[in-house]
Amino acid sequence: MCGIGKYLHIGCGQSSLVVELLQRSMDAYGLDASTEIVEKNLENAPWHFFKGSIAEYPFKTESFDTVIIGEELFHYAIHDFNVVFKTLRSMTKNNLVLYFPPEVSLAIAPQRPESKRIFWQRLAIDAGFRLHPRSMLVVPYNELENEDVGKFIFFERISDVALDKFPMSWLLANRDLHMDMLREAGRRSDGHVSRYVLAAMKVRPGDTVLDAACGLGYGTAVLAACSPGAKFIGVDIDPDSIAYAEANFAADDSTLSYQACDVTNLSFLPDHSIDTVISFETIEHVPDYEIFLKEVKRVLKPDGRFLGSVPNLWCDETGNDPNPYHFHVFDWNKLNEAVSQHFIVDGRWAQNAGGGFKLWNSKRSMWNVPLDQVDAIETEWWVFSACADPRNHKDLPYTNPFYKDINITAPQHVHFEKYYDNPWIYRVMVQLGERLSERNVLIKFCSNIAGKSRLGSADQGASLCVLA
C-alpha cells in the first residue's frame, strides 16, 4: 500500500508489526510510552524502538514516510482528536495508517462514533489527508458495506501547497458539480472510486491512459496508483478543476498530467495514440455523445480499450433526468447500442451505492452481468468495458507498449509485427489477461479471424488455437 520507506508505529505495544516490517526490508521503528515494553522490544530489534507518544514525540516533523497508529488514539478524548490528527499530519511525509487489531476494534462499543470507519475518515480528511487511492485493493468495494472499523484504514497526506490553495471550503462550494472523492467519506465517494479501481484492473503494462472528463483528477490518480500503466492523462472542460488536479496529484507524480479541453475535441492527441480510455459519468453530460464516441475511437490504438459508466434510468415520471447537467437517460440497451457502433463491448457490471437518486436503500455492490443475460436488472449504474476493433487497421504501424523498451536483441517472439499479418489482433485475441473477456464475444471474434485471415498465417493459427 505505502511502498518502500521509513515507517513509525506509534503506540506499538507488544505488536510484532515493526519486526515484520523490518523482515520485509522496511526501515521501521516503534514508539511506546512504556519503558518496559520498549526495552522488551529492543531485544528483538535493537535501535528500532523508542520511548514516547504523540504528546512526547522525540523526532523532527516529517521524519517518516508512513506513520501507523491505532490503540494510542484511545488515550485522548473525542474533542482532542482534531488536534491529534493535525499533529499526525505533521509527522508523516506521505501516509497515515490506522491499525486496529481485532481485539481493539471489537472493544469499541458499537453505539460510539469511533466504532465506524466514516468517523475516522472524516477526522483525517478534515486534518489534511485524503483517502488513500489504493485503499480498495485491501478492502474491496462490496466489503465496505460493513461500516464498522476494520483492521486497517489508509490515508495519504495532501501537500501544504495544495491544501492552502484548495481548502475544504473551496471543494464544498463546488460539490454539486465537482468533488474530489478522495476527500469525501461515504457511499457517494466509495461508488465513484470503486469504478476507477475496477478500470485499473483493465489497464495493461506500459499503457498510456486517458481519463476523459476527469473532473478534479482524483480518478486519474487512482488509476496511476492501482495499475501497471506508464502514463496517465486527465482532461476536463473546467480549467479550475484542472488546476486542482495539477496541484493535488500531478505535482507529486510524474506519470500524471492534466489538460483543460472538451472531450468532444481531443485535438491535442494524435490518432491512435492512447492504449486505454476511461470515461465515467460522461456521455449523459454531452449533448451529442456520438461526437464523443467517435473522438474516443480516433485516439484509441487499434487494440485499445474503452471503459465507461452511465446512471441507469435516472428519470422522473416525465421520463427526463431531473439533473440539469444530464442531457440523456440511458438503460443498458441504449448504452450498448451506442457503444457497439464503434467498439466491441466485452463486459458489463451493475453497480449500486445507495443513498443517492435511485435505490436509496441499496447496499454497496458491483457485480458482473453476462452480456447474454436478458433478465431485467435493477441497478443504479451500468459500467461497461469495450475494445477497439483491430480488424481494419492491419496497415497501421504496430506498437506494443509492454515491449517498447526491450533491446533489439530481445527474443524474436516479442516482435509480433514480423509474424502476424495484423499484429493488432494480438492483445485483443491472444494475450491472457488482456484479450476480450466475455467468452462468447471472444469466440465470435476468433471465428471471424479464422475465416477471413490468410491461409497458414499466424493470424489464422492463433485464432484456431484460442478457439481450441
Side-chain angles (χ1 to χ4, degrees):
M1 280 293 296
C2 301
I4 297 292
K6 193 173 182 180
Y7 285 66
L8 176 68
H9 185 189
I10 300 176
C12 59
Q14 296 177 327
S15 168
S16 62
L17 182 59
V18 172
V19 174
E20 290 175 21
L21 289 168
L22 287 168
Q23 291 170 345
R24 288 160 176 77
S25 302
M26 300 298 120
D27 186 17
Y29 299 85
L31 188 68
D32 199 273
S34 168
T35 302
E36 181 182 355
I37 286 176
V38 170
E39 290 177 350
K40 184 68 175 176
N41 287 335
L42 284 171
E43 295 176 7
N44 297 319
W47 314 110
H48 284 271
F49 288 90
F50 298 87
K51 186 176 185 300
S53 63
I54 295 177
E56 298 177 1
Y57 188 65
F59 307 107
K60 294 180 180 178
T61 58
E62 296 186 34
S63 292
F64 297 90
D65 298 291
T66 299
V67 168
I68 305 163
I69 190 169
E71 192 169 5
E72 171 86 0
L73 291 169
F74 297 104
H75 296 168
Y76 299 88
I78 283 185
H79 61 260
D80 293 327
F81 278 159
N82 287 328
V83 174
V84 168
F85 272 77
K86 288 179 181 178
T87 303
L88 289 169
R89 183 177 176 276
S90 72
M91 297 175 181
T92 180
K93 293 179 185 176
N94 298 317
N95 308 294
L96 173 66
V97 181
L98 302 191
Y99 170 56
F100 299 121
E103 64 271 17
V104 174
S105 55
L106 290 174
I108 308 172
Q111 68 271 19
R112 292 187 64 83
E114 304 99 300
S115 69
K116 303 302 179 185
R117 181 179 60 252
I118 197 169
F119 171 82
W120 302 104
Q121 289 176 329
R122 286 173 174 165
L123 272 173
I125 290 169
D126 287 345
F129 292 95
R130 54 175 162 250
L131 306 180
H132 200 289
R134 294 192 185 99
S135 289
M136 287 189 194
L137 298 182
V138 175
V139 185
Y141 177 62
N142 290 10
E143 294 181 17
L144 292 174
E145 189 58 29
N146 178 1
E147 298 185 351
D148 292 339
V149 167
K151 187 173 184 179
F152 290 105
I153 310 176
F154 295 92
F155 302 100
E156 190 173 65
R157 185 184 189 274
I158 302 170
S159 73
D160 292 337
V161 172
L163 204 58
D164 289 343
K165 190 172 182 180
F166 297 100
M168 185 58 70
S169 57
W170 185 91
L171 273 178
L172 294 177
N174 295 275
R175 185 179 186 275
D176 289 340
L177 185 57
H178 286 305
M179 185 62 189
D180 180 351
M181 295 299 173
L182 296 178
R183 291 175 71 181
E184 178 175 304
R187 292 179 177 275
R188 185 172 88 139
S189 165
D190 296 340
H192 282 271
V193 173
S194 66
R195 293 179 209 131
Y196 280 101
V197 176
L198 172 69
M201 302 302 104
K202 294 286 188 177
V203 174
R204 301 157 293 192
D207 273 3
T208 295
V209 181
L210 174 69
D211 184 10
C214 67
L216 295 174
Y218 70 91
T220 324
V222 171
L223 292 169
C226 297
S227 82
K231 183 180 180 182
F232 303 85
I233 306 166
V235 299
D236 197 88
I237 198 170
D238 178 31
D240 288 341
S241 295
I242 294 301
Y244 178 95
E246 288 175 336
N248 279 271
F249 304 112
D252 299 317
D253 188 342
S254 61
T255 69
L256 288 165
S257 64
Y258 296 91
Q259 181 157 331
C261 78
D262 189 327
V263 295
T264 63
N265 181 11
L266 301 169
S267 55
F268 77 99
L269 292 172
D271 294 355
H272 310 305
S273 59
I274 301 295
D275 296 285
T276 306
V277 173
I278 313 293
S279 195
F280 293 132
E281 308 298 279
T282 302
I283 65 175
E284 71 273 16
H285 289 268
V286 180
D288 188 344
Y289 57 78
E290 182 71 10
I291 297 175
F292 167 62
L293 293 174
K294 287 180 178 178
E295 192 68 342
V296 172
K297 183 178 181 179
R298 179 188 69 79
V299 302
L300 263 186
K301 291 181 181 178
D303 58 359
R305 185 169 285 279
F306 175 37
L307 292 100
S309 69
V310 296
N312 176 51
L313 291 175
W314 282 24
C315 54
D316 57 22
E317 62 279 0
T318 69
N320 296 313
D321 190 327
N323 187 323
Y325 302 108
H326 290 182
F327 294 100
H328 310 280
V329 174
F330 286 93
D331 61 6
W332 172 253
N333 290 333
K334 182 177 178 179
L335 173 64
N336 184 47
E337 182 180 359
V339 177
S340 296
Q341 295 293 318
H342 306 282
F343 308 97
I344 303 170
V345 176
D346 77 324
R348 63 169 170 167
W349 295 263
Q351 182 186 19
N352 293 327
F357 175 77
K358 188 177 180 182
L359 303 182
W360 182 268
N361 294 318
S362 65
K363 297 180 178 180
R364 296 174 183 84
S365 58
M366 187 185 299
W367 69 100
N368 180 259
V369 180
L371 291 174
D372 57 1
Q373 182 173 328
V374 296
D375 301 345
I377 302 292
E378 191 175 34
T379 184
E380 292 184 278
W381 290 278
W382 284 113
V383 182
F384 69 87
S385 172
C387 284
D389 192 334
R391 286 172 286 191
N392 296 323
H393 294 283
K394 62 185 299 182
D395 297 326
L396 193 70
Y398 179 70
T399 60
N400 186 313
F402 186 66
Y403 296 111
K404 68 179 180 179
D405 295 325
I406 289 181
N407 188 282
I408 193 66
T409 59
Q412 291 300 300
H413 69 268
V414 306
H415 299 294
F416 306 107
E417 68 275 14
K418 295 181 63 174
Y419 303 102
Y420 285 87
D421 292 341
N422 181 3
W424 292 107
I425 66 173
Y426 180 80
R427 290 206 294 175
V428 177
M429 184 177 75
V430 178
Q431 179 64 54
L432 293 175
E434 298 184 7
R435 68 187 186 187
L436 293 163
S437 57
E438 186 89 358
R439 184 175 186 272
N440 291 337
V441 176
L442 180 62
I443 288 173
K444 183 178 179 180
F445 184 86
C446 291
S447 299
N448 179 273
I449 297 295
K452 293 186 177 181
S453 56
R454 179 173 57 84
L455 186 65
S457 66
D459 309 55
Q460 185 186 57
S463 61
L464 291 173
C465 178
V466 174
L467 284 169

